[in-house]
Amino acid sequence: MTELERLQAAKIPGKETGIEIRHTFCSVCEPLFHCGIDTYIKDGEVIKIEGTPGYPVNNGNLCPKGHANRQYIYRADRIKTPLRRTGPRGSGEFEPISWEEAYREIAEKLNRIKEIYGPESVLFYSGYAKWYRSFLQRLAHSFGSPNFGSESSTCHMATVEAWKDMVGRFSVYDVQNAATFMAWAVNPYHSKPTQLRQLYEVKARGQKIVVIDPRVTPMTEKMADLHLRIRPGTDGALALGMGKLIIDNGWVDEEYVKNHVYGFEEYVDYVKQFDLKRVCDITGLRGEDIEKATEWYAVNKPSCISQSGAPIVHHRNGYQAFRAINCLSAITGNYDVLGGNIPAGETYSHQWANFETREHEFANATKPRDLPPRIGDKRFPLWAHFMDEGQMTDLTRQIQEEVPYPVKAVMAFGLNHRMFPEPHKLLEAVDKLDFVMSAELFMTEMCRHSDIVLPVCTSFEREEFKVYPGGFATYIKPVIGPLYSSRPDSTVIKELADALELDDPLLRSGYESCVRWMLSDCKLELDDCIREDMPIKVPDAKPYEPGLYTKQGYDTPTGKFELWSKSIERYAPGLNPLPAYTPPWDRTNEVDYPMVLSIGARLPFALHSRMHDVPWTRSLRPDPMVDMNDEDAEALDIREGELVTIESPAGAITVKANPTARIMPGCLQIYHGYREADANELVDDFHLDPYSGYPGYNCVRCRIRKGGKEG
Ligand SMILES: Nc1nc2c(c(=O)[nH]1)N[C@H]1C(S)=C(S)[C@@H](COP(=O)(O)OP(=O)(O)OC[C@H]3O[C@@H](n4cnc5c(=O)[nH]c(N)nc54)[C@H](O)[C@@H]3O)O[C@H]1N2
Ligand SMILES: Nc1nc2c(c(=O)[nH]1)N[C@H]1C(S)=C(S)[C@@H](COP(=O)(O)OP(=O)(O)OC[C@H]3O[C@@H](n4cnc5c(=O)[nH]c(N)nc54)[C@H](O)[C@@H]3O)O[C@H]1N2
Ligand SMILES: [Mo]
């Protein structure tokens, strides 16, 4: 080997090797974790990836998903060219067409549908990616449709809704300054690894950490001073029981309650029924553990409670449970104080970074007046009142029933039907549509059911403006050219607006100029961002000063922290204004379906469906499996790796058994995202939470038996 060959084999950057390092970020996860990536490029190809040292969120570290980016962006099933369907829906028979042809056909189809059924019959949908959402929403509005919807119909937004309902603003937790941290249903070791450094720091300073989780996880093992191993879906009862203990022990912050809380008397009256014995019966917890956790939370202050966007609200009683948990921060005066739960505004692209942009205004500026209700508005009136987008868990029903009006076309940017309850029903509904477009990275099942498929780029191949907590902003540039003939979503949206000849000059002026418009009230110069390779500090950004919002009065009908919701009373009269507890399942099923299935927890090397077709990450858990309690397995004579069938009233799947002490007796856990045996088929319409429309993925009554045919 020559010296040069050695350098090249070791991928050493430099003139002689022709290897260059360029900066981008990983966009596999949610915006908060778009970790900085050093890409090693040779001859226009990414040959190696490392974390970027000094980058705000990850400072040089990457998780297994980040490290697998090279395999992700070069996946063999990347869509190479615009396609037109030639065979039946689902057959995968397509012919390549030019971008111009694709746009012409889309415009023709959409305009015809608009003429016959009205613009509201076209839905504009976005999957997990969030960076182009305000553009897509504006496209929908400029087209005349109220129907923008996204994966947020199942993620995070129910927590935003609940906070808005209670205090008028989404809120986060100030774990850095807390003395007690209630890690309520969270396992950052798998879902938020970039937050772990901070957790280790606060733990080292002696912070008390309570973890509330039915499973044994790295979080319960490594961080918890106390682990409340609760039965799934019973968190509301625990929170109400804690509320009663706080009142009985005189730990209420009287001053805060007097001045800033609405509905306290009704709350006191309601929680009387949640005495310790009853709460223990419902939750399966020990009284002394509940008492200890409550005392730490209410006395060892300030205390904060973590706010995951998934496990608590993924129950049909989840919205109310989430509200019941938030009540604790009101009655103990732990809201809007240093180290408590504090209000947070959205800055850009579903991310708060302590400065303001005009993104929201941008998305809504072309919204026509007097629009018909959005998909889901009638069925989920509380969601409709608080949220800026339709509730997509009602999409299947509306396509099938055409009530209150027909939906005839879907413009899908990354729609994965498998993330919704009973995915086959959504796919069947989609097959009934007059027109389906998919803009995607990969040839997914949904693409195969689309009429036109458009190839889009990964973050390695495009530009994007992005903000980070702490007041950072960056503008990434492509580190390689677009693969095949793919284009960025932002370009596709602009070009669709052109093809549809929409009266929206700003949207049609292109991505960068729209971002400039959104930043026009802010001291940040986009050119500074574009010039720099790394995130820069935004001059306007300043950390929130706890207490400010309370002084100003909350943005709720009463101006107070509402334990009794005036909004529920007014906008959703059939629902309970108090954070009432109801069981998470249909009790009549307990005999036939004795087990409780959770389909939800996160795998450290998977992100929903996205890493399942990437060889490195897939190899870490190749088969769909059900985690079950080892003693339950023994009682049923089920051994590791054996096939078992899990049945719910909605359907059945067969997977391999994985007996483990990490799962509670009576409980099962399956990771979602495996299409070979899709556990979401076991979740039916019954599981939708009437307050938010969120699916109850985490509590499905089922039974398990040995045997069955895989799938
Ligand atoms: N059982 C169960 N189901 C769940 C959950 C659960 O916990 N349990 N969690 C819910 C939650 S919290 C979430 S967030 C959702 C996630 O649901 P989805 O957002 O549907 O998740 P993905 O499977 O990643 O699908 C996103 C699609 O977008 C494509 N994509 C990725 N990047 C881009 C891009 O830049 N542009 C375009 N046009 N497409 C792109 C991907 O290839 C993929 O096909 O799932 C929900 N479903
Ligand atoms: N690696 C990886 N990271 C991710 C994702 C991913 O797919 N993969 N997805 C991202 C997304 S979209 C989201 S929304 C977040 C979610 O982030 P997290 O909320 O942290 O995710 P989960 O692992 O679903 O849930 C955390 C814990 O809640 C517990 N839990 C389940 N049901 C209940 C219950 O009824 N009560 C209580 N108290 N606990 C319960 C589970 O056992 C689990 O250990 O993660 C994000 N990060
Ligand atoms: Mo999510």
Side-chain angles (χ1 to χ4, degrees):
M1 227 188 210
T2 64
E3 179 61 14
L4 180 61
E5 280 167 346
R6 252 205 309 275
L7 287 172
Q8 274 175 339
K11 301 182 181 172
I12 305 296
K15 264 211 176 73
E16 64 277 43
T17 54
I19 297 170
E20 198 189 332
I21 296 182
R22 293 188 202 147
H23 287 140
T24 184
F25 54 61
C26 167
S27 64
V28 170
C29 284
E30 60 177 287
L32 190 61
F33 316 113
H34 284 180
C35 298
I37 284 187
D38 283 355
T39 43
Y40 289 62
I41 314 274
K42 183 164 170 60
D43 304 327
E45 198 187 322
V46 180
I47 57 163
K48 176 181 164 177
I49 276 167
E50 276 183 348
T52 306
Y55 205 83
V57 282
N58 61 318
N59 191 20
N61 298 312
L62 283 181
C63 78
K65 295 173 267 111
H67 279 295
N69 255 288
R70 201 155 55 93
Q71 290 194 343
Y72 177 72
I73 64 175
Y74 291 120
R75 251 169 76 171
D77 59 345
R78 277 290 295 265
I79 303 160
K80 305 200 167 46
T81 156
L83 298 168
R84 176 197 289 129
R85 185 168 59 80
T86 52
R89 285 226 170 108
S91 64
E93 292 164 30
F94 290 98
E95 62 182 1
I97 52 173
S98 69
W99 278 96
E100 290 64 37
E101 247 179 301
Y103 287 138
R104 207 177 318 119
E105 191 159 327
I106 294 169
E108 248 172 57
K109 288 268 166 49
L110 291 195
N111 282 330
R112 187 153 1 105
I113 291 169
K114 185 187 204 171
E115 220 177 279
I116 306 173
Y117 302 100
E120 66 273 18
S121 64
V122 181
L123 163 66
F124 295 79
Y125 177 91
S126 173
Y128 201 78
K130 295 177 174 69
W131 65 283
Y132 53 76
R133 281 195 190 174
S134 52
F135 295 77
L136 189 61
Q137 189 161 20
R138 186 170 171 125
L139 179 71
H141 289 151
S142 293
F143 179 76
S145 175
N147 281 320
F148 166 76
S150 73
E151 133 285 359
S152 293
S153 288
T154 67
C155 176
H156 175 64
M157 282 298 163
T159 67
V160 176
E161 182 190 343
W163 274 116
K164 280 190 173 173
D165 188 350
M166 303 186 86
V167 291
R169 228 180 250 185
F170 179 60
S171 301
V172 293
Y173 55 105
D174 180 13
V175 69
Q176 187 75 46
N177 295 300
T180 301
F181 173 41
M182 306 287 282
W184 209 307
V186 69
N187 175 25
Y189 285 86
H190 293 175
S191 64
K192 294 162 188 162
T194 55
Q195 292 176 355
L196 283 173
R197 186 186 302 265
Q198 190 186 36
L199 276 183
Y200 277 104
E201 276 168 23
V202 295
K203 175 112 183 127
R205 289 207 300 268
Q207 187 187 60
K208 291 243 179 292
I209 301 184
V210 181
V211 184
I212 304 166
D213 195 315
R215 300 189 308 157
V216 174
T217 69
M219 185 67 184
T220 66
E221 288 173 314
K222 296 192 200 316
M223 281 288 165
D225 294 299
L226 181 61
H227 174 196
L228 300 187
R229 209 169 176 191
I230 192 170
R231 283 195 189 114
T234 62
D235 301 84
L238 172 61
L240 294 164
M242 288 174 70
K244 179 170 167 19
L245 281 177
I246 289 166
I247 294 161
D248 292 351
N249 284 291
W251 293 328
V252 170
D253 183 331
E254 304 282 352
E255 194 58 24
Y256 181 84
V257 167
K258 190 167 103 223
N259 295 317
H260 305 293
V261 172
Y262 179 80
F264 185 62
E265 288 76 34
E266 290 86 347
Y267 174 81
V268 171
D269 208 39
Y270 181 71
V271 300
K272 280 190 185 133
Q273 32 181 318
F274 290 89
D275 58 80
L276 202 53
K277 168 148 189 338
R278 180 163 176 233
V279 175
C280 292
D281 287 347
I282 296 173
T283 59
L285 297 170
R286 295 191 317 178
E288 63 211 73
D289 288 344
I290 299 176
E291 281 172 328
K292 196 193 234 178
T294 310
E295 182 169 355
W296 283 354
Y297 178 75
V299 178
N300 186 40
K301 296 203 297 194
S303 310
C304 67
I305 306 178
S306 80
Q307 311 286 323
S308 168
I312 297 299
V313 287
H314 281 171
H315 286 286
R316 63 190 299 274
N317 65 5
Y319 185 82
Q320 290 288 60
F322 194 79
R323 283 210 313 140
I325 293 168
N326 290 348
C327 289
L328 299 176
S329 105
I331 64 171
T332 55
N334 273 309
Y335 184 70
D336 199 15
V337 293
L338 197 74
N341 285 89
I342 53 172
E346 202 162 81
T347 298
Y348 182 80
S349 189
H350 291 245
Q351 183 70 263
W352 55 285
N354 295 115
F355 66 99
E356 306 243 333
T357 70
R358 299 172 71 188
E359 188 188 31
H360 185 74
E361 192 186 334
F362 173 80
N364 287 298
T366 58
K367 194 173 181 171
R369 282 166 193 277
D370 301 322
L371 284 170
R374 298 164 307 189
I375 294 163
D377 275 4
K378 288 225 168 325
R379 186 166 175 198
F380 304 111
L382 200 63
W383 168 277
H385 170 64
F386 284 112
M387 301 327 279
D388 209 18
E389 56 185 86
Q391 178 39 282
M392 295 301 109
T393 53
D394 200 31
L395 176 61
T396 302
R397 186 208 58 77
Q398 186 160 341
I399 296 175
Q400 295 293 5
E401 294 176 13
E402 306 202 336
V403 177
Y405 54 81
V407 175
K408 289 291 177 187
V410 174
M411 298 288 286
F413 287 69
L415 169 55
N416 181 1
H417 63 295
R418 293 205 174 276
M419 294 297 125
F420 286 93
E422 288 188 295
H424 78 278
K425 287 195 177 165
L426 178 52
L427 200 58
E428 275 164 27
V430 163
D431 281 346
K432 271 192 61 177
L433 296 168
D434 287 357
F435 183 69
V436 186
M437 184 227 70
S438 274
E440 250 291 353
L441 297 162
F442 310 110
M443 182 42 82
T444 60
E445 285 171 288
M446 185 51 70
C447 287
R448 277 194 272 280
H449 286 255
S450 303
D451 300 292
I452 297 277
V453 178
L454 301 178
V456 297
C457 302
T458 66
S459 54
F460 287 61
E461 303 150 62
R462 57 168 165 78
E463 300 176 354
E464 183 183 330
F465 173 69
K466 158 132 207 79
V467 304
Y468 287 106
F472 292 98
T474 189
Y475 196 92
I476 53 156
K477 275 75 68 181
V479 294
I480 52 170
L483 290 187
Y484 320 107
S485 64
S486 63
R487 293 182 183 177
D489 296 270
S490 51
T491 306
V492 175
I493 292 168
K494 178 227 176 304
E495 290 173 348
L496 281 170
D498 287 338
L500 289 159
E501 295 178 11
L502 299 181
D503 180 18
D504 187 348
L506 180 57
L507 186 61
R508 291 173 67 177
S509 69
Y511 180 72
E512 191 189 306
S513 99
C514 291
V515 173
R516 272 181 209 284
W517 186 93
M518 289 185 238
L519 295 176
S520 54
D521 278 358
C522 162
K523 289 205 191 81
L524 173 70
E525 290 296 335
L526 190 63
D527 289 326
D528 291 343
C529 243
I530 292 178
R531 205 171 309 120
E532 289 297 325
D533 219 17
M534 289 273 281
I536 58 173
K537 265 275 189 195
V538 177
D540 306 64
K542 52 174 190 303
Y544 173 73
E545 231 176 81
L548 268 182
Y549 187 42
T550 305
K551 242 184 248 148
Q552 169 198 323
Y554 304 144
D555 196 9
T556 55
T558 57
K560 297 193 169 181
F561 196 129
E562 295 192 1
L563 309 187
W564 174 283
S565 163
K566 286 303 239 184
S567 304
I568 294 182
E569 206 177 347
R570 173 150 182 216
Y571 298 103
L575 303 177
N576 197 333
L578 280 171
Y581 174 75
T582 47
W585 51 72
D586 177 354
R587 300 214 140 235
T588 56
N589 280 333
E590 264 177 59
V591 177
D592 290 340
Y593 300 97
M595 309 291 279
V596 169
L597 167 65
S598 300
I599 314 160
R602 271 50 184 150
L603 284 168
F605 41 81
L607 198 115
H608 308 299
S609 72
R610 236 169 295 163
M611 306 310 283
H612 280 71
D613 294 306
V614 172
W616 280 358
T617 43
R618 180 63 183 246
S619 70
L620 297 169
R621 190 168 166 124
D623 298 315
M625 290 193 277
V626 60
D627 295 349
M628 68 184 297
N629 179 265
D630 46 357
E631 285 169 18
D632 282 354
E634 206 173 302
L636 292 164
D637 191 29
I638 293 169
R639 270 161 249 276
E640 187 178 336
E642 238 181 333
L643 287 180
V644 288
T645 298
I646 296 135
E647 294 167 319
S648 82
I653 61 167
T654 300
V655 294
K656 286 183 177 155
N658 184 37
T660 163
R662 291 179 177 274
I663 301 292
M664 279 170 71
C667 291
L668 305 172
Q669 150 72 39
I670 300 183
Y671 294 99
H672 65 290
Y674 288 87
R675 55 179 179 268
E676 300 78 3
D678 188 346
N680 275 0
E681 291 294 1
L682 307 179
V683 189
D684 60 24
D685 215 39
F686 165 79
H687 290 87
L688 300 186
D689 181 340
Y691 293 78
S692 63
Y694 268 41
Y697 300 121
N698 277 343
C699 210
V700 179
R701 283 240 152 235
C702 68
R703 58 183 173 230
I704 183 167
R705 64 176 164 80
K706 260 166 86 107
K709 217 170 121 255
E710 223 161 337

